[in-house]
Amino acid sequence: MSKKATRQAYGEALAELGRINKDVVVLEADLSKSTKTAIFQSEFPERHFNVGIAEADLMATAAGFATTGKVAFASTFAMFAAGRGFEQIRNTIAYPKLNVKIAPTHAGISVGEDGGSHQSVEDMSLMRSIPGMVVLCPADAEETRQMVFAAAEYDGPVYLRSGRLDTEDIYKDTDYKFEIGIADTLKEGTDVTIAATGMLVHEAMEAAKTLEAEGISVRVINVSTIKPLDGPTILKAAQETKFIVTCEEHSVIGGLGGAISEFLGETHPTLIKKLGIYDQFGQSGTGNQLLDEYGLRAKDIVAKVKENM
Amino acid sequence: MADIKMLTEKATQIRKDIVTMICKSKSGHPGGSLSAADIVSALYFNEMNVDPKNPKMADRDRFVLSKGHAAPVLYAALAEKGYFDRELLGTLRKFGSPLQGHPDMKKLPGVDISTGSLGQGLSVANGMALSAKLDDKSYRVYALLGDGEVQEGQVWEAAMTAAHYNLDNVCAFLDSNNLQIDGNVDKVMGVEPLDEKWRAFGWNVIVIDGHNFEEILGALEAAKAHKGQPTMVIAKTTKGKGISFMENVCGFHGVAPTSEETDKALEELSHVECCNN
């Protein structure tokens, strides 16, 4: 299996999109080599705007572009996009429902060595609480690519989260077609549902292999649209399996686990066990060390399933 | 001079509408709306290429009311311009009204961007102006900021962006009335020297009396003629301008006049009209 960081796929897809959609503009806050918008910049320098280290300005400038009919992609690290840019995103992008795609990279703890100050594990929660905001978290490079195109097609604000670390391919050489609001059931099963997002989809698939070998029937769902949540697919899983394990590189408060809990709490009360970050900040280390440390591996998913069988 | 007589009449009508609508809604911001009435009047009735019959016209000039709490001055100007029936002014801040407490572009035609939380408007204006440059369009973008508002750090981020990209299609007005909610701007958090600050940030700076139409129109012409830099017009204004008992009174920042006060205000404003006739 090959690997690629979703941020790399984001930058490549942006350039590809730029070739067919001349209304696309890209805004950046001094991280173009890291966010990979430099790939777009090298091909379309006239449509790439760097506002410097100024994330509030980044978001509101993107809003200005959108009022004139442009499809504006605004990129920086997730921490600074969702954190520092929150009010600009809420009031100047989402409140007037402008066509801005907030596409941060370096989400989650796998950012690694920069440490807890740079590891955004609250961004999906913040963005999900903004009325009308679409929140996307791709499982791999191919899904990222398709999301960039889907986001550009969609008329309104979108938050498209990508990561720094290389991510195993899930969808390469498949006929998968991403659609906003649709979760993808990667594997059917009857005992337990593992609902995962982002790079943890790969861990979920690995966990399913181990569990199946031990006779446990596992359903795996890639929930790559955190909002709007795919209610029918989640409800079906709750009805057809005994419990649900959610997996995300994000706080267990307000992200995927939170979204599924909120939904099923009202529709079909179900036992939900969450893998994610439990009310704490991250720390320095390699991305892989941190995924181990915070229990976001296939073996952790296996253990969580077995504990609750 | 005919233009100035007309603009005086428009500004007076706008001031009457401001106090009337805020009195009726019992809520709103009269002080900073009145201080900006002459600038907004000059923009909508002399300067900007806009069409009330076609509010989304692609090549129209844009207006960004960054100090969104001064919504009444914008609403009064839009009604006077013919964007909507002036009867609507009576619904300011009322449930179901398109005249929200702060401008909402989704609800009211003629509003180019929703504003309200301070400090964000200049960035939006830059985005609009960059788009114009990218598409080789000639429309201009006007923004109105408060002097208290420039205490927001984002204003200076946007100031750098506009200068960096040589946005000579941006013309911002600073409604410099030296009052904010908690008192005099220089007491709460000093912002002077404003002209030197904006100049140091790479802007073409013009300082005027914000209640003198000849100076406002002159600044607009000078801004258009100036190439390679955005223009900041620092307009020295009086908060509550035009109504004697509201002028320079901090309390009228966000407090509605009573109906007695409104009657008195309208009476004073009727003399303005009379004198200019």
Side-chain angles (χ1 to χ4, degrees):
Chain A
M1 266 181 140
S2 58
K3 289 171 115 181
K4 189 188 271 189
T6 48
R7 63 168 168 154
Q8 179 70 28
Y10 165 64
E12 292 170 1
L14 214 48
E16 197 184 329
L17 175 69
R19 283 173 221 137
I20 59 168
N21 188 340
K22 301 298 172 200
D23 285 331
V24 168
V25 294
V26 176
L27 290 93
E28 176 59 63
D30 193 43
L31 291 168
S32 59
K33 291 180 191 73
S34 301
T35 62
K36 304 297 175 189
T37 69
I39 301 170
F40 179 92
Q41 182 187 25
S42 65
E43 203 168 330
F44 306 106
E46 74 288 356
R47 283 194 272 152
H48 185 277
F49 302 90
N50 199 330
V51 299
I53 309 163
E55 294 78 15
D57 189 43
L58 172 78
M59 296 304 169
T61 306
F65 267 110
T67 66
T68 68
K70 300 294 180 194
V71 182
F73 281 77
S75 291
T76 178
F77 289 0
M79 177 55 63
F80 313 129
R84 198 171 295 202
F86 177 80
E87 198 211 355
Q88 285 72 16
I89 293 171
R90 182 194 184 275
N91 277 350
T92 302
I93 294 174
Y95 182 54
K97 203 174 187 293
L98 292 176
N99 207 12
V100 176
K101 317 305 163 185
I102 302 130
T105 62
H106 295 63
I109 57 159
S110 61
V111 172
E113 291 83 347
D114 278 342
S117 65
H118 284 53
Q119 293 160 3
S120 177
V121 295
E122 311 86 355
D123 57 321
M124 293 202 292
S125 177
L126 285 163
M127 290 298 112
R128 210 164 67 79
S129 66
I130 296 176
M133 180 65 76
V134 168
V135 181
L136 308 178
C137 182
D140 74 350
E142 172 58 22
E143 190 170 39
T144 306
R145 179 184 165 277
Q146 293 195 29
M147 276 181 175
V148 167
F149 283 83
E153 283 287 309
Y154 174 82
D155 184 21
V158 174
Y159 184 82
L160 199 176
R161 180 189 213 235
S162 63
R164 172 174 181 256
L165 204 62
D166 283 347
T167 303
E168 299 281 355
D169 285 331
I170 304 286
Y171 292 114
K172 198 177 181 188
D173 304 323
T174 68
D175 56 3
Y176 176 65
K177 187 91 189 74
F178 168 77
E179 241 181 280
I180 291 174
I182 304 297
D184 182 35
T185 303
L186 286 163
K187 195 188 155 315
E188 292 289 354
T190 53
D191 288 324
V192 58
T193 295
I194 304 174
T197 195
M199 66 191 297
L200 290 199
V201 172
H202 169 72
E203 300 292 333
M205 290 298 279
E206 293 297 305
K209 273 188 220 161
T210 306
L211 290 164
E212 294 273 348
E214 297 181 30
I216 299 172
S217 171
V218 182
R219 179 175 306 196
V220 178
I221 305 175
N222 168 24
V223 188
S224 52
T225 306
I226 308 298
K227 185 186 173 190
L229 191 68
D230 183 349
T233 298
I234 300 299
L235 182 60
K236 191 161 174 277
Q239 287 164 338
E240 295 175 358
T241 62
K242 292 173 192 134
F243 64 102
I244 295 178
V245 173
T246 62
C247 314
E248 61 196 306
E249 200 193 339
H250 185 271
S251 171
V252 293
I253 301 167
L256 174 64
I260 289 179
S261 300
E262 287 165 19
F263 170 68
L264 289 178
E266 288 197 355
T267 53
H268 188 89
T270 305
L271 178 66
I272 297 160
K273 291 288 170 179
K274 303 186 186 78
L275 266 86
I277 309 298
Y278 273 81
D279 204 26
Q280 58 190 322
F281 292 108
Q283 59 184 300
S284 285
T286 66
N288 282 314
Q289 280 171 334
L290 294 169
L291 291 168
D292 289 341
E293 173 64 21
Y294 291 93
L296 302 177
R297 293 300 198 186
K299 67 175 173 49
D300 303 301
I301 302 173
V302 168
K304 188 70 93 179
V305 169
K306 284 187 176 173
E307 273 166 32
N308 293 282
M309 277 302 293
Chain B
M1 290 310 283
D3 278 349
I4 289 179
K5 179 171 172 283
M6 178 272 288
L7 288 174
T8 306
E9 286 169 7
K10 294 290 186 194
T12 303
Q13 183 58 46
I14 286 171
R15 287 194 164 93
K16 286 178 180 174
D17 287 335
I18 288 169
V19 286
T20 306
M21 74 174 106
I22 296 176
C23 173
K24 195 163 180 192
S25 73
K26 299 189 177 69
S27 149
H29 296 82
S33 299
L34 291 163
S35 68
D38 300 307
I39 295 163
V40 171
S41 175
L43 285 171
Y44 276 91
F45 298 100
N46 194 80
E47 185 63 32
M48 286 169 50
N49 172 33
V50 292
D51 179 3
K53 300 282 169 280
N54 185 9
K56 297 273 181 203
M57 182 172 72
D59 291 343
R60 71 188 185 280
D61 290 334
R62 266 78 171 171
F63 179 63
V64 177
L65 183 65
S66 193
K67 44 175 273 180
H69 57 275
V73 71
L74 175 60
Y75 298 159
L78 292 176
E80 185 66 20
K81 189 81 180 172
Y83 280 89
F84 48 82
D85 193 314
R86 49 184 311 112
E87 290 295 307
L88 210 51
L89 295 176
T91 68
L92 172 72
R93 289 181 169 238
K94 297 253 168 60
F95 182 71
S97 171
L99 274 60
Q100 293 285 296
H102 293 81
D104 182 341
M105 68 185 290
K106 284 292 180 208
K107 291 194 163 67
L108 192 68
V111 175
D112 289 319
I113 179 71
S114 303
T115 50
S117 48
L118 295 175
Q120 302 184 22
L122 194 55
S123 302
V124 176
N126 289 343
M128 294 168 169
L130 283 164
S131 186
K133 294 253 180 200
L134 178 61
D135 291 345
D136 208 15
K137 293 192 166 184
S138 60
Y139 68 78
R140 294 177 60 75
V141 186
Y142 296 95
L144 180 67
L145 287 75
D147 51 357
E149 183 179 8
V150 304
Q151 291 160 355
E152 289 280 3
Q154 187 185 343
V155 169
W156 302 101
E157 296 179 1
M160 284 186 272
T161 300
H164 179 82
Y165 285 101
N166 308 315
L167 296 182
D168 50 16
N169 50 351
V170 168
C171 176
F173 280 83
L174 194 66
D175 184 11
S176 183
N177 58 34
N178 196 35
L179 277 177
Q180 58 188 111
I181 297 179
D182 275 354
N184 288 4
V185 172
D186 49 4
K187 296 280 192 308
V188 176
M189 176 51 64
V191 295
E192 294 290 350
L194 283 169
D195 53 344
E196 287 179 30
K197 280 197 176 82
W198 286 95
R199 214 167 275 128
F201 273 74
W203 285 57
N204 171 41
V205 178
I206 303 169
V207 182
I208 62 163
D209 171 352
H211 301 305
N212 180 319
F213 280 113
E214 283 184 38
E215 293 191 23
I216 297 171
L217 299 182
L220 285 166
E221 287 308 312
K224 267 187 289 193
H226 190 88
K227 298 298 171 204
Q229 282 182 308
T231 293
M232 171 54 75
V233 182
I234 298 174
K236 302 282 186 188
T237 58
T238 301
K239 200 149 178 170
K241 175 71 179 178
I243 296 160
S244 61
F245 58 92
M246 287 190 179
E247 289 192 358
N248 287 316
V249 177
C250 188
F252 277 110
H253 171 86
V255 175
T258 63
S259 47
E260 265 178 22
E261 287 168 335
T262 302
D263 288 345
K264 214 171 131 194
L266 293 176
E267 159 68 13
E268 283 188 20
L269 289 166
S270 67
H271 291 301
V272 175
E273 210 165 36
C274 154
C275 297
N276 285 290
N277 283 341

